[in-house]
Amino acid sequence: MAKPESTAATEHTIPQPNASEQHYLDQKSDPALDTAQERTQSHPHDSPPAEQGRNQTEYSKETNYEKSAIPSQDSQNQNVHRRQVPNGPSSKGAAAVADTEKGNSSLDNRSDEDPRTQTLSSFYQKYRVYFHLFLWLFFTRLWLAITLRLLFFYIPITIITKPMHFVWNNTALKIVSFVPNKLRTPAGAAIVVAVLLIGGFASPETVDNTRDNRAVSLFGLAVIIFVLWATSRNRKAIKWHTVIVGMFVQFIVALFVLRSGAGYNIFSFVSELASDLLSFANQGTSFLTNPSVPKLAAIIFFVAFVQLLYYWGTLQWFIQKFAVFFFWSMRVSGAEAVVAAASPFIGQGESAMLIKPFVAHLTQAELHQVMTSGFATIAGSVLVAYIALGVNGQALISSCVMSIPASLAISKLRYPETEETLTTGRCVIPNDEEERAANSLHAFANGAWLGLKISGMIFATLLCIIAFLGLADGLLTWWGRYLNINDPPLTIELIVGYICYPIAFLLGVPRNGDLLKVGQLIGTKVILNEFVAYTKLQTDPAFADISPRSRLIATYALCGFANIGSLGTQIGVLSQIAPGRSGDVSRLAVSSLIAGALSTLTSASIAGLLVTDQAAFFTPSAARGQ
């Protein structure tokens, strides 16, 4: 204990905050001001100049901690928070002051930690890599694609593609090199036929999917290919590699979706996401109008969302990955691969806009392929509308994916390439800076306006077509009475139903009365449009009792824009992009329409060949509940 005299002498040199000579304070009110409680201790931060005037540092002891007088410890010091504090914040502050009075730096010493906390901390430090891996797998299992996209911003994708090319070059290509060139195409065709036979007939029969029905579906597929070959513009120029690979990929996609649990779950998950996305549009619809009619408003929202993805570059990246695969595997030009991959996502007109700089220089076969891809599938902008009708979303999405290789194969079979293409050997999506949005808000607003135009076009088209159909049916029914055609009455649906009756048979529709009904739906789709056909399938009581197999085949067969009305859309868009090619576009339009319709029918035929559990894909129609 230091003597009071020495303390007083020091106070005359440099005043101390707790000096005993401060007579204006009541010394009995606070023990910290009592000189009898003072002690001395050397300070580690005293410098020689400071020691000349002040060689003592004074602390008070045995005093109570007052939060207002003593500052708290740094809140950022993690070691303080790891300490064992039994009695809350006040005890924590007192412990910190006690350490300071002892003159040590125990804040950096973990000897005071709770043993259990120290054990857990050591265990985490040792195995934290596995903890991080577990968290990553748990929280990103559904967003793996996004994770990979972000990862490849910083890591070149060649670390994956180079090993793949090495394995491919040293396995498949070496095996193929032993096969003579003349035998490669027949051998590939034999392999595809074997895969079709094994994949189609190896599974057990079900009540509605016997091997007889599968054989009819396979025969129908063979008939479609034969008709395309027989009517080909140049049979000698057909590149059978493209046809064989296209049919093989189409079958593998169908096999993955319709037979494997993983494929079923993936496409079911995508279908649920589309339904969830549609439900978000309902919230906006309920604010503006009656929520019982959300279909057209959902189209507006979805188109705006697609335009936003396009502005961010996400959609182009996804399309290009699809295009590169088909460009590499099917040996088509870059422009053809891009349009075929883009058509199911953004539609027949918008997909052609992706290759706008090349349209004027496309060959005849490429123009034919561009239009065929547009006719062979539907667009994402109307997909949500069909799901809202109650059509099975999983069948729709899988049909769109299957249409990509199918359209390439069917078009090259119907119209082979005989010219030199400009985009041979490269697959790129040019940037269109002229029509690029200024920012995300601008892109979303443009998408909303485009969605409004599309939904308005659908609304107006349905209104006019259904009204005209009613007028035509009325006239035909009146005339049919004079011909004694009363049960069923003579209508457009009846006429096209009998015209498409053989097509429904070749697709494998059960021969139990459903052939005429499915034929009517196919004819309605070709003459009018797929929206009218899907509406009849889901809401017309006449189609409520068709079997699950017939309903599934019809769902695949109707999933395409191959109708007479779409001819005007294709001709108008391509003629606007390249006015000098309008004559070529008009000459190729009908052939492309037929090829697109047959591409969709091949998907329906393969679905009839492979599906065994129709109930899993069956969505009850609205008419059944009436």
Side-chain angles (χ1 to χ4, degrees):
M1 178 70 65
K3 294 181 181 181
E5 291 79 8
S6 62
T7 305
T10 305
E11 290 168 354
H12 288 293
T13 306
I14 297 177
Q16 301 297 326
N18 287 342
S20 60
E21 297 300 327
Q22 296 176 356
H23 300 290
Y24 56 87
L25 295 177
D26 185 4
Q27 298 183 10
K28 296 182 180 181
S29 62
D30 192 346
L33 302 177
D34 187 359
T35 57
Q37 304 295 332
E38 294 179 352
R39 65 184 178 85
T40 61
Q41 177 179 327
S42 59
H43 199 286
H45 300 290
D46 286 340
S47 60
E51 289 180 354
Q52 295 178 2
R54 180 177 59 86
N55 55 8
Q56 298 176 2
T57 303
E58 294 149 2
Y59 293 90
S60 59
K61 67 177 182 177
E62 299 178 4
T63 60
N64 294 329
Y65 165 65
E66 296 181 8
K67 188 173 183 179
S68 61
I70 302 176
S72 60
Q73 297 295 327
D74 185 7
S75 61
Q76 301 299 324
N77 194 324
Q78 300 298 324
N79 293 323
V80 174
H81 297 290
R82 291 196 186 101
R83 294 172 56 85
Q84 183 180 5
V85 183
N87 295 320
S90 61
S91 299
K92 175 180 175 181
V97 174
D99 289 339
T100 306
E101 291 179 351
K102 293 177 183 178
N104 57 33
S105 56
S106 62
L107 292 179
D108 295 330
N109 189 355
R110 300 189 182 182
S111 60
D112 297 334
E113 289 183 312
D114 184 0
R116 291 174 298 178
T117 304
Q118 189 174 9
T119 302
L120 290 175
S121 178
S122 301
F123 183 79
Y124 170 77
Q125 291 294 332
K126 186 177 181 180
Y127 297 102
R128 64 179 179 178
V129 174
Y130 300 101
F131 279 103
H132 294 168
L133 182 62
F134 170 76
L135 292 175
W136 179 80
L137 290 174
F138 182 78
F139 288 107
T140 63
R141 65 187 188 276
L142 300 180
W143 304 105
L144 184 59
I146 299 177
T147 303
L148 291 176
R149 176 57 176 154
L150 296 176
L151 182 65
F152 288 123
F153 273 129
Y154 307 97
I155 301 175
I157 198 172
T158 53
I159 64 173
I160 295 178
T161 57
K162 283 185 177 180
M164 292 174 58
H165 290 160
F166 176 80
V167 173
W168 175 260
N169 292 334
N170 289 276
T171 55
L173 291 184
K174 285 192 174 182
I175 295 175
V176 172
S177 63
F178 293 106
V179 181
N181 290 332
K182 294 182 179 180
L183 298 179
R184 289 180 183 178
T185 298
I191 292 174
V192 172
V193 171
V195 171
L196 289 172
L197 292 174
I198 296 174
F201 295 94
S203 59
E205 293 183 341
T206 59
V207 176
D208 200 24
N209 188 20
T210 62
R211 288 191 172 89
D212 293 340
N213 289 336
R214 299 179 200 175
V216 173
S217 297
L218 182 60
F219 176 70
L221 182 63
V223 169
I224 292 174
I225 295 175
F226 175 78
V227 170
L228 288 167
W229 173 82
T231 59
S232 176
R233 184 173 180 271
N234 190 342
R235 289 194 289 268
K236 294 181 179 180
I238 294 176
K239 294 182 180 179
W240 287 104
H241 173 89
T242 302
V243 177
I244 292 171
V245 174
M247 302 306 298
F248 179 74
V249 173
Q250 183 185 19
F251 183 81
I252 292 300
V253 171
L255 193 68
F256 179 68
V257 175
L258 302 176
R259 289 284 181 88
S260 69
Y264 178 87
N265 292 333
I266 290 174
F267 280 84
S268 178
F269 171 70
V270 174
S271 175
E272 291 174 2
L273 286 182
S275 300
D276 293 341
L277 187 64
L278 176 64
S279 66
F280 294 136
N282 294 346
Q283 299 176 12
T285 307
S286 62
F287 180 74
L288 296 174
T289 184
N290 189 342
S292 62
V293 286
K295 301 175 183 61
L296 296 181
I299 296 174
I300 299 174
F301 168 73
F302 188 81
V303 172
F305 183 70
V306 168
Q307 290 298 312
L308 189 61
L309 293 178
Y310 190 83
Y311 172 76
W312 289 339
T314 305
L315 195 60
Q316 294 95 310
W317 177 85
F318 192 71
I319 289 172
Q320 189 170 16
K321 299 308 174 186
F322 264 85
V324 167
F325 171 75
F326 292 109
F327 168 77
W328 167 77
S329 62
M330 299 185 66
R331 299 178 185 174
V332 294
S333 68
E336 292 172 323
V338 169
V339 173
S343 294
F345 301 100
I346 61 177
Q348 53 184 341
E350 293 83 353
S351 61
M353 293 295 292
L354 292 178
I355 59 167
K356 183 179 178 181
F358 303 127
V359 172
H361 309 286
L362 295 179
T363 65
Q364 297 283 337
E366 285 179 316
L367 276 176
H368 189 274
Q369 166 58 41
V370 167
M371 288 190 286
T372 300
S373 296
F375 287 129
T377 184
I378 60 174
S381 57
V382 297
L383 176 68
V384 291
Y386 300 148
I387 294 177
L389 284 174
V391 182
N392 186 279
Q394 186 177 356
L396 291 174
I397 295 171
S398 60
S399 178
C400 289
V401 177
M402 292 167 63
S403 71
I404 301 176
S407 63
L408 290 169
I410 296 300
S411 179
K412 292 306 177 185
L413 189 59
R414 178 74 180 86
Y415 205 106
E417 183 64 78
T418 57
E419 304 173 68
E420 184 67 26
T421 63
L422 183 64
T423 58
T424 299
R426 58 176 179 161
C427 182
V428 295
I429 300 179
N431 293 325
D432 190 2
E433 298 295 339
E434 296 180 0
E435 300 181 4
R436 181 175 174 82
N439 51 33
S440 298
L441 183 61
H442 188 199
F444 197 76
N446 289 343
W449 174 241
L450 178 61
L452 181 63
K453 291 190 289 185
I454 292 176
S455 60
M457 181 184 66
I458 292 175
F459 180 81
T461 301
L462 289 177
L463 187 151
C464 296
I465 287 179
I466 292 175
F468 180 77
L469 184 63
L471 173 63
D473 286 343
L475 294 175
L476 287 173
T477 301
W478 175 76
W479 185 50
R481 289 175 181 173
Y482 287 95
L483 302 177
N484 200 24
I485 304 176
N486 297 317
D487 190 21
L490 182 62
T491 60
I492 290 180
E493 290 89 341
L494 182 65
I495 296 173
V496 299
Y498 280 109
I499 293 175
C500 298
Y501 193 97
I503 297 176
F505 169 77
L506 292 174
L507 296 180
V509 175
R511 297 165 294 283
N512 56 0
D514 291 347
L515 286 173
L516 180 60
K517 295 179 180 179
V518 175
Q520 288 176 340
L521 292 173
I522 296 173
T524 301
K525 176 248 184 182
V526 174
I527 293 178
L528 302 177
N529 61 38
E530 73 289 341
F531 205 109
V532 177
Y534 275 130
T535 302
K536 287 182 174 295
L537 176 65
Q538 294 300 122
T539 61
D540 195 334
F543 299 94
D545 59 347
I546 64 175
S547 66
R549 176 179 173 83
S550 301
R551 184 175 295 276
L552 181 66
I553 291 176
T555 301
Y556 277 90
L558 302 180
C559 189
F561 283 147
N563 57 74
I564 297 175
S566 294
L567 279 174
T569 302
Q570 287 274 24
I571 295 173
V573 170
L574 292 175
S575 299
Q576 184 69 25
I577 296 174
R581 305 299 302 275
S582 58
D584 294 333
V585 171
S586 300
R587 283 191 293 270
L588 297 171
V590 175
S591 176
S592 300
L593 174 66
I594 296 173
L598 292 177
S599 299
T600 307
L601 294 179
T602 59
S603 297
S605 180
I606 291 177
L609 177 65
L610 291 179
V611 69
T612 56
D613 186 10
Q614 292 86 358
F617 294 84
F618 172 59
T619 302
S621 65
R624 186 179 292 273
Q626 294 177 351

